[in-house]
Amino acid sequence: MAEALSFGCRLNAAESEAMRHLAERSGWAGALVVNTCAVTAEAEAQARQAIRRAARENPGRPILVTGCAAQIAPDTWAALPGVARVIGNGRKLDPMAWDAPPAPITVADPVVPAATAGTRAFLAVQQGCDHHCTFCVIPQGRGPSRGLPVAEAAREAAALAERHREIVLSGVDLASHPDLAGLIRAVLRAAPGLARLRLSSLDPAALDDRFWAVWAEEERLAPSLHLSIQHADDLVLKRMRRRHRHADLLALARRARDLRPGAALGGDLIAGFPTETEAQHAWLEAFIAEAGLAFLHVFPYSPRPGTPAARMPPTPVALRRDRAARLRAAGLRERARFLAGRLGAEEEVLMEGKGLGMTAHGAALRLSGAPDAPGTLLRARVTGTDGATLLGERV
């Protein structure tokens, strides 16, 4: 059986499961598919280490490499031990790329939906990015923005809802889908039995009035938003070439909670961006509590070759790591505060195995008593929290 290793975003996770099946159907039954990420140097290093380890532990096993890092520097990845083929991002979900001679690497092919098996499915509805943030190489790895047609997304969602209780709409820049609001409504109409629809990371600057109407009206849309924030200091945001500012983020947080009280907010943050001062970092750290960000993905800044930020005066590596740790600690404090606010509440929980499940807000909940099978949807009353996980009992 083919195996897939995925690094990076949820979109990669969705694609990796689809590629594993493609590899098996195309004569690569024993292959290892490695879906790389180029967001940070650490993500690239982890993928290289995984490839070298796989080649060392299982000599002769073919390794198929794809993803953003492989897209940007295919020759580098092709030279690693055990690598039989490098497949470009634009063709990695094309069956022909797996059993035919590899075509020239491209990133501008149409979006092809892909979903993982299990409790929840990830449905890719958008690819690429038209923005050029100074720290990011993703446009090089994923190409221009393009969206899956709404009707096709609805058909895919209807099929997935027959086997899954939750679907996550994913994309490189999901909020840039040409009709995200219409897509959400179409998916929910096409899958009336779907318990929960969740969204992957969203660009704060791209959320329009149509989106907020959907957010307010669609009860099966999970009451949680994960935002591509990156920073909260206006000068740093300008140097990042982001399209939002501090005031915009606070207004967004207020609007989200005014329309859906108790909504959970989270975001991606970069620590130690070039030129970031201690005061600017402190501003970002304070913003976590100010906006109530309970679920964070924190990345120490990683210079990406060829990007404008890589030419800016760098923040020392040790300081980047220290600031990242401080942001994570602030995020954990905010998560503990959010979870404490759920005490006594009844939650809809999607069980994932070993007594653990996830609430609609995206919080982990450990259920007392005998564990339920993964995919079980139940109601639980929150009886406690350990600061990172809710504790509950069946209602």
Side-chain angles (χ1 to χ4, degrees):
M1 178 180 292
E3 181 185 359
L5 292 178
S6 182
F7 297 86
C9 64
R10 288 177 171 177
L11 182 59
N12 265 11
E15 294 168 341
S16 294
E17 181 66 13
M19 288 188 290
R20 186 179 69 79
H21 290 294
L22 284 173
E24 289 185 347
R25 292 201 300 266
S26 303
W28 298 95
L32 174 66
V33 180
V34 180
N35 201 1
T36 64
C37 173
V39 168
T40 65
E42 182 179 3
E44 290 193 27
Q46 289 173 346
R48 285 193 295 270
Q49 289 168 4
I51 290 170
R52 292 190 178 101
R53 182 169 56 251
R56 185 172 59 252
E57 294 176 353
N58 195 351
R61 182 188 195 185
I63 300 173
L64 312 173
V65 184
T66 184
C68 290
Q71 171 71 43
I72 293 168
D75 292 344
T76 300
W77 294 88
L80 291 174
V83 174
R85 180 174 295 182
V86 175
I87 299 174
N89 262 341
R91 298 207 64 211
K92 64 184 178 183
L93 297 177
D94 176 1
M96 293 296 293
W98 295 86
D99 55 14
I105 285 187
T106 176
V107 296
D109 293 298
V111 180
V112 180
T116 64
T119 298
R120 67 179 47 81
F122 294 86
L123 177 60
V125 297
Q126 187 275 336
Q127 280 277 9
C129 184
D130 292 336
H131 310 301
H132 294 276
C133 299
T134 59
F135 54 83
C136 188
V137 295
I138 295 305
Q140 299 175 41
R142 292 280 184 172
S145 179
R146 60 248 187 232
L148 190 68
V150 168
E152 187 175 348
R155 287 195 299 271
E156 292 287 336
L160 290 171
E162 295 178 1
R163 307 186 302 278
H164 304 274
R165 307 306 298 270
E166 178 178 296
I167 292 175
V168 182
L169 299 183
S170 62
V172 173
D173 183 20
L174 179 61
S176 72
H177 187 284
D179 187 11
L180 179 60
L183 185 148
I184 292 170
R185 291 196 191 274
V187 163
L188 291 170
R189 284 197 304 269
L194 183 69
R196 188 184 297 163
L197 182 67
R198 197 177 295 282
L199 306 177
S200 65
S201 186
L202 299 167
D203 180 354
L207 301 181
D208 58 16
D209 289 342
R210 293 185 65 232
F211 171 82
W212 290 114
V214 171
W215 169 255
E217 296 164 9
E218 298 289 355
E219 293 184 357
R220 287 185 293 152
L221 182 61
S224 63
L225 291 178
H226 191 85
L227 304 168
S228 178
I229 293 170
Q230 313 308 351
H231 215 281
D233 178 84
D234 285 354
L235 181 56
V236 175
L237 287 166
K238 183 177 180 180
R239 288 172 175 165
M240 288 179 165
R241 206 179 290 154
R242 298 294 291 167
R243 299 180 300 151
H244 61 265
R245 296 295 180 262
H246 176 259
D248 302 324
L249 296 171
L250 290 181
L252 185 156
R254 285 193 297 270
R255 188 172 191 179
R257 294 189 174 108
D258 285 346
L259 294 172
R260 298 187 74 171
L265 299 184
D268 303 317
L269 301 179
I270 294 177
F273 186 78
T275 76
E276 182 191 62
T277 65
E278 183 59 30
Q280 289 167 334
H281 167 79
W283 184 255
L284 176 58
E285 191 173 335
F287 172 76
I288 293 170
E290 185 182 24
L293 302 180
F295 299 93
L296 296 182
H297 292 162
V298 176
F299 305 90
Y301 170 73
S302 180
R304 303 282 70 206
T307 60
R311 299 190 295 271
M312 296 179 186
T315 303
V317 172
L319 191 53
R320 293 179 221 163
R321 293 173 179 165
D322 174 71
R323 289 178 178 175
R326 288 156 58 187
L327 293 179
R328 293 187 185 107
L332 290 175
R333 290 193 295 272
E334 193 57 29
R335 180 181 300 187
R337 186 204 63 77
F338 176 82
L339 297 181
R342 304 305 300 173
L343 290 175
E346 286 191 10
E347 302 281 1
E348 183 183 72
V349 184
L350 181 60
M351 300 307 296
E352 301 184 350
K354 299 182 179 179
L356 276 174
M358 181 180 288
T359 72
H361 293 95
L365 183 145
R366 184 174 298 281
L367 200 63
S368 62
D372 291 88
T376 302
L377 192 70
L378 52 81
R379 293 198 68 80
R381 181 176 294 106
V382 178
T383 58
T385 174
D386 62 8
T389 304
L390 293 172
L391 309 175
E393 59 185 13
R394 291 173 184 80
V395 174

